[in-house]
């Protein structure tokens, strides 16, 4: 092919450069995805009250086995209690799983971050967050739950969180 | 004029430097159509594709300058509102933001192109391992800068990037609360998040500067910016484009909205659609796999044969330092001479760990005492002598000494008979004594064909060759050689038609000259022992 003449070559150079920039601009603003047809319930729960301290009196034999300076008559152990999260929408179970404490030694709070997709409209929602196998002597642990009807809009998220006393669940978004 | 001949093996194939691995052919095939298009329009001299690394640095500087201006008006308490303020009310704000964004996108495109070119050239291993690894690290930092920059805008895309990043970080069992909670909509995102993001976005370029220094630390005279013309054209076009097609501002991030339709920046957020579908561990595994595969390239992306590094004959070395100066990879050091012939206090020494075997030192050494095995000036002269004996010159022919990388299987396009074509590993390794020997023995003309300066596989071959042929740099082509019979051209494989025309022009010029072959030509290395003179019988 013959070489382009200088003027044509300059125009071609400008056109090619602008085409490259246009391509870059287009690739930098690529429309992706589509509006979600569903609504969603986001459960954002956090509680540090699922740790229980269980105390007991040491026996005489146990005390004798300890060095003199460590002979405390009462001993306490802290135990993390796992919880179970159950979510049902219109009576159908959507989530049922055990929630364990965070951290390598499971000494950090219980945290739930769960997104449940829900068809738009009025929906009956039931959520239970219950302790699993609490040890004897653990006392009364919070058992938050929610049962009610919520309205879900397509593409929108309803957010449920623990109330301040961790004893109940509430919707925190403005609706 | 000699009729074009079918390409064939050169009469004396030179043991050239190690070439790219076979696997590189795929990458070369991927780049070839782009190269052809850009070279046709811009020529190899101004082809921006050949300066992808330089272009990335230029774009980085543009983002730095425009980013400093934007920084003045960005507020972490109201991220999206402040960007809207910049866009709508700040003097040149929309233009500066568009320039910032387009330069950042072009920087990413140029960086990836640069990486592909290095893969195609097989420049990932041996002495170039540090440059490869540091280049990958630079790519990572560029990406990180881009991610933090997109989050700063705090639109739907920014929220998605932040959310996915938090999802990955939450895999680490070190946070007492998941970072992702910051985006759950229970409370507004804390401004400390935007402060940290802005800090990282500003601090990361410092890492880029340090990485760039490391990246070029093993080359002499690193060239960081494109030539002035390409530089000005790029800046002008970016500025024009930013003015004509400003970047739109998407609506603010909504924590109570499900991810829906949005505009994705494919250069930085290409992984986002996949990230939403993959579990976080799979995403981390995918990223780790890609990074490990790229970082391990020096182990498997290797040439078909090993590098043969240069060596110095200390008895011949005069300590002139020319090879030390000319080496593009700082692989030669001048060290105190230990014993032996005391012709100089210093003697050159090659570090085989840094030598890429280009042979440019062989072309620089007047006494012909340095070069890769079989490719020193003396080896070249011996080879040329054999060539002359096998193919007595007619006084009309033009011998083409071409860089193998430039011709690369396209010899037929040059219109040169196979017997008149001599391939070398790098044009910069050709010793001028070879040119002198050929011409004084009766060869009509010598055309030296090199890669374009910005696309030289060994960086400075064409530059040093031109200096030695026409500007008196050691080891210079001696004055007694008729310059009318010598030509030098730098062409890429896509420009061989132009090379063919220039060769034909030299052939025409030679035809007009009187053939005057000398008898008993002696071309001797400077300052060499007399018993090592290279004598050539009457051609």
């Amino acid at each position: 092919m013959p070489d382009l003449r200088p003027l044509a070559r300059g125009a071609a150079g400008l056109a090619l450069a602008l085409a490259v920039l246009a391509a870059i601009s287009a690739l930098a603003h690529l429309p992706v995805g589509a509006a979600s047809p569903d609504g969603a319930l986001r459960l954002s729960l956090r509680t540090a009250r699922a740790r229980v301290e269980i105390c007991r009196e040491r026996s005489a034999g146990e005390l004798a086995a300890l060095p003199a300076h460590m002979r405390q008559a009462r001993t306490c152990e802290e135990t993390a209690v796992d919880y179970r999260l159950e979510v049902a929408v219109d009576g159908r179970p959507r989530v049922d799983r055990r929630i364990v404490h965070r951290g390598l030694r499971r000494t950090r709070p219980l945290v739930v971050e769960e997104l449940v997709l829900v068809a738009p409209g009025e929906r009956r929602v039931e959520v239970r967050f219950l302790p699993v196998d609490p040890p004897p002597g653990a006392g009364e642990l919070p058992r938050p739950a929610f049962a009610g009807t919520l309205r879900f809009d397509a593409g929108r998220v309803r957010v449920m969180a623990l109330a301040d006393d961790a004893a109940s669940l509430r919707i925190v978004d403005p609706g | 004029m000699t009729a074009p001949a079918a390409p064939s093996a050169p009469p004396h194939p030179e043991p050239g430097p190690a070439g790219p691995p076979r696997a590189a052919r795929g990458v070369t095939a991927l780049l070839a159509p782009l190269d052809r298009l850009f070279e046709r329009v811009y020529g190899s001299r101004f082809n921006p594709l050949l300066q992808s690394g330089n272009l990335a640095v230029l774009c980085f500087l543009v983002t730095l300058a425009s980013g400093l201006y934007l920084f003045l008006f960005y507020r972490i308490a109201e991220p999206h509102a402040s960007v809207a303020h910049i866009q709508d009310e700040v003097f040149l704000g929309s233009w500066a933001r568009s320039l910032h964004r387009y330069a950042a996108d072009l920087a990413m495109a140029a960086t990836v192109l640069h990486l592909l070119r290095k893969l195609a050239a097989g420049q990932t291993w041996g002495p170039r391992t540090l440059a490869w690894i540091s280049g990958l690290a630079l790519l990572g930092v560029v990406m990180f800068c881009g991610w933090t920059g997109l989050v700063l805008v705090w639109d739907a895309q920014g929220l998605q990037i932040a959310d996915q990043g938090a999802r990955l970080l939450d895999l680490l069992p070190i946070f007492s609360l998941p970072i992702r909670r910051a985006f759950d909509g229970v409370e507004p995102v804390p401004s400390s998040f935007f402060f940290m993001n802005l800090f990282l976005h500003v601090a990361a370029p410092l890492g880029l500067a340090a990485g760039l220094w490391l990246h070029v630390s093993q080359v002499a005279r690193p060239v960081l910016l494109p030539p002035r013309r390409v530089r000005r054209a790029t800046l002008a076009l970016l500025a024009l484009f930013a003015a004509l097609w400003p970047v739109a501002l998407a609506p603010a991030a909504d924590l109570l909205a499900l991810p829906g339709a949005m505009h994705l920046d494919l250069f930085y957020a290409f992984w986002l659609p996949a990230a939403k579908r993959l579990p976080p561990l799979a995403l981390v595994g995918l990223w780790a796999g890609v990074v490990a595969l790229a970082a391990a390239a020096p182990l498997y992306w290797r040439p078909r044969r090993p590098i043969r590094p240069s060596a110095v004959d200390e008895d011949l070395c005069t300590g002139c330092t020319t090879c030390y100066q000319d080496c593009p990879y700082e692989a030669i050091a001048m060290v105190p001479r230990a014993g032996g012939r005391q012709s100089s206090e210093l003697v050159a020494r090659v570090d085989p760990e840094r030598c890429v075997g280009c042979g440019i030192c062989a072309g620089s050494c007047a006494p012909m005492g340095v070069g890769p095995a079989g490719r020193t000036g003396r080896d070249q002269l011996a080879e040329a002598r054999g060539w002359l004996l096998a193919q007595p010159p007619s006084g009309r022919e033009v011998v083409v000494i071409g860089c193998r990388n430039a011709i690369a299987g396209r010899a037929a396009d040059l219109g040169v008979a196979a017997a008149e074509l001599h391939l070398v590993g790098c044009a910069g390794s050709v010793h001028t004594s070879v040119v002198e020997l050929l011409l004084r023995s009766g060869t009509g003309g010598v055309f030296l064909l090199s890669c374009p300066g910005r696309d030289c596989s060994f960086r400075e071959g064409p530059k040093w060759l031109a200096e030695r042929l026409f500007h008196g740099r050691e080891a210079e082509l001696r004055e007694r050689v008729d310059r009318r019979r010598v030509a030098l051209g730098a062409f890429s494989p896509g420009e061989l038609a132009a090379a063919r025309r220039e060769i034909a022009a030299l052939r025409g010029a030679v035809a007009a000259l009187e053939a005057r072959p000398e008898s008993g030509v002696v071309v001797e290395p400077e300052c060499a022992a007399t018993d090592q003179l290279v004598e050539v019988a009457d051609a």
Side-chain angles (χ1 to χ4, degrees):
Chain A
M1 256 194 285
D3 259 5
L4 296 166
R5 298 166 76 173
L7 195 62
R9 198 166 172 158
L14 182 65
L16 181 58
L18 287 174
V20 167
L21 283 173
I24 284 176
S25 173
L27 292 175
H29 296 89
L30 206 65
V32 293
S36 172
D38 295 319
L41 173 67
R42 180 183 290 150
L43 290 147
S44 181
L45 318 180
R46 175 195 172 227
T47 178
R49 299 188 187 184
R51 300 188 60 77
V52 293
E53 197 177 53
I54 298 171
C55 302
R56 64 180 175 82
E57 301 298 325
R58 282 196 172 114
S59 67
E62 279 179 308
L63 281 172
L66 289 170
H69 69 280
M70 292 176 67
R71 287 178 188 161
Q72 298 280 339
R74 191 175 168 81
T75 179
C76 293
E77 278 181 21
E78 201 180 59
T79 304
V81 180
D82 292 345
Y83 267 61
R84 177 165 293 284
L85 175 70
E86 295 169 7
V87 181
V89 179
D90 289 340
R92 269 185 292 182
R94 299 293 302 276
V95 179
D96 184 0
R97 67 183 180 93
R98 192 179 182 121
I99 309 293
V100 298
H101 285 252
R102 289 178 62 84
L104 282 174
R105 292 180 294 156
R106 300 198 167 173
T107 54
R108 310 309 301 168
L110 272 180
V111 175
V112 174
E113 284 293 319
E114 192 78 39
L115 191 74
V116 182
L117 292 180
V118 180
E122 302 274 342
R123 301 287 163 204
R124 170 82 184 162
V125 176
E126 292 163 88
V127 181
R128 296 198 301 164
F129 193 48
L130 307 174
V132 178
D133 304 331
E140 194 59 29
L141 287 166
R143 304 171 74 87
F146 175 92
T149 301
L150 296 175
R151 172 162 188 84
F152 293 93
D153 294 325
R156 303 299 299 170
V157 178
R158 306 301 308 270
V159 183
M160 188 174 283
L162 282 168
D164 292 340
D165 59 358
S168 59
L169 293 165
R170 63 190 174 97
I171 291 290
V172 294
D173 65 86
Chain B
M1 185 180 287
T2 313
S8 63
H12 301 280
E14 181 197 295
R22 285 188 197 285
R25 287 178 190 167
V27 187
T28 306
L30 187 75
L31 296 174
L34 272 181
D35 273 342
R36 276 198 294 275
L37 173 66
F38 277 75
E39 275 173 13
R40 184 160 156 67
V41 175
Y42 300 111
S44 60
R45 198 171 159 208
F46 299 115
N47 181 359
L49 299 188
L50 300 185
Q51 300 155 39
S52 44
N54 301 146
L55 210 55
V57 175
L58 178 68
C59 291
F60 166 62
L61 294 178
V62 173
T63 55
L64 207 61
S66 53
L68 281 173
Y69 184 66
L70 297 173
F71 178 73
L72 297 175
F73 307 101
Y74 185 77
R75 293 194 301 277
I76 54 173
E78 297 175 302
H80 188 270
S82 65
V83 175
H85 170 72
I86 290 169
Q87 186 99 349
D88 299 333
E89 295 166 42
V90 171
F91 175 67
L92 293 179
S94 172
W95 177 78
R97 179 172 172 249
S98 303
L99 188 64
H100 191 70
R101 180 75 177 274
Y102 289 141
D105 289 330
L106 188 56
M108 173 54 80
T111 306
V112 171
L113 188 65
H114 187 58
L115 182 141
L116 290 176
R117 295 203 86 87
K118 295 300 152 188
L119 273 180
Q123 295 170 353
T124 59
W125 69 286
R128 280 149 161 166
T129 301
L130 177 67
W132 174 257
I133 298 293
S134 59
L136 288 178
L138 280 172
L139 179 61
V141 178
V142 168
M143 274 197 174
F144 184 74
C145 284
W147 296 335
T148 51
L150 292 173
V151 170
L152 280 178
V153 181
W154 205 236
D155 55 5
Q157 180 178 232
L159 171 59
Q160 288 300 307
I161 292 173
D163 188 46
Q164 293 300 328
R167 197 162 75 110
L168 298 185
L169 282 175
D170 283 340
L171 283 177
L172 302 172
I174 56 173
F175 302 108
S176 66
L177 289 176
I179 300 173
R180 215 176 175 194
R181 274 180 65 86
F183 315 118
D184 64 7
V186 176
E187 290 172 6
V189 180
S191 59
S192 58
F193 165 76
F194 294 105
F195 171 78
M196 189 182 67
N197 190 62
L198 179 63
F199 172 78
L200 291 173
H201 188 64
V202 173
L206 297 176
L208 268 184
L212 196 59
W213 171 81
L214 190 67
H215 189 57
V216 299
S217 62
Q218 286 201 332
V219 298
R221 300 167 289 279
V223 178
L224 294 179
L225 291 172
R228 185 177 298 175
R229 201 161 148 182
V230 175
R231 202 160 63 220
R232 287 180 176 170
T234 306
L235 292 176
L237 281 165
L238 273 175
L240 180 72
F241 203 75
L244 294 178
W245 197 342
V247 172
L249 179 61
D254 183 353
L255 299 178
L256 299 180
L258 283 172
M262 66 175 183
H263 285 94
L264 189 76
D265 188 325
L266 208 63
F267 294 95
Y268 292 93
F270 58 89
W271 51 276
L272 214 48
K276 286 191 226 169
R277 290 174 177 83
L278 289 174
L281 211 55
L283 186 62
V284 168
L286 195 64
W287 269 115
V290 170
V291 171
L293 195 69
L299 299 177
Y300 60 82
W301 202 267
R302 301 179 73 87
R304 281 159 279 175
R305 54 198 163 81
I307 283 178
R308 284 199 276 184
S310 287
V312 176
D313 184 335
E314 295 196 4
D315 288 338
L316 298 175
C317 178
T318 61
C320 71
T321 75
T322 308
C323 60
Y324 160 75
Q325 292 170 42
D326 287 7
C327 177
Y329 296 94
E330 295 186 335
I332 300 179
M334 300 306 297
V335 299
R337 187 184 286 277
R341 215 179 64 161
Q342 296 297 316
S343 59
S344 63
E345 288 183 7
L346 297 176
V347 68
R349 185 156 299 161
V350 177
D351 178 355
E353 297 295 314
R354 299 187 75 154
C355 179
V356 300
C358 62
I360 286 176
C361 54
S364 76
C365 185
M368 305 183 189
V370 64
R375 296 168 59 208
T376 65
R378 285 158 198 272
D379 297 320
Q380 293 178 35
L381 273 181
E383 194 178 335
R385 185 179 59 175
W387 195 12
L388 287 166
L389 289 173
Q391 199 78 33
S394 68
R396 288 284 176 263
E397 74 276 65
V398 166
V399 166
V400 176
I401 302 178
C403 178
R404 189 171 285 122
N405 297 311
I407 297 174
R410 307 276 308 275
D413 296 343
L414 293 174
V416 177
E420 294 173 0
L421 181 64
H422 189 59
L423 294 179
V424 293
C426 174
S429 70
V430 175
H431 201 284
T432 53
S433 294
V434 171
V435 179
E436 179 181 353
L437 174 66
L438 290 173
L439 291 176
R440 292 179 61 203
S441 300
T443 300
V446 175
F447 191 94
L448 292 121
L449 194 158
S450 77
C451 301
R454 292 266 178 166
D455 195 32
C456 173
S457 293
F458 304 106
R459 297 190 61 242
E460 296 181 322
K463 177 176 108 177
W464 293 138
L465 183 61
E467 289 282 315
R468 290 167 196 156
L469 287 174
F470 303 115
H471 303 293
R473 186 178 184 83
E474 289 266 346
E476 77 279 9
L477 183 63
R478 295 187 192 174
E479 281 186 20
R480 60 191 175 212
V481 179
D482 187 350
R483 294 313 198 266
R484 293 174 300 174
R485 296 178 182 273
V486 184
L488 170 63
F491 300 97
S492 66
E495 293 179 316
L496 294 188
R500 181 181 180 139
R501 284 195 296 276
E502 292 215 7
I503 292 169
L506 178 64
R507 203 174 271 133
V510 164
L513 297 172
E514 185 185 349
R516 285 195 307 183
E518 298 176 29
S519 59
V521 175
V522 177
V523 176
E524 63 193 68
E526 283 180 16
C527 313
T530 50
D531 62 346
Q532 290 185 324
L533 289 181
V534 180
E535 298 192 6
V536 178
D538 186 0

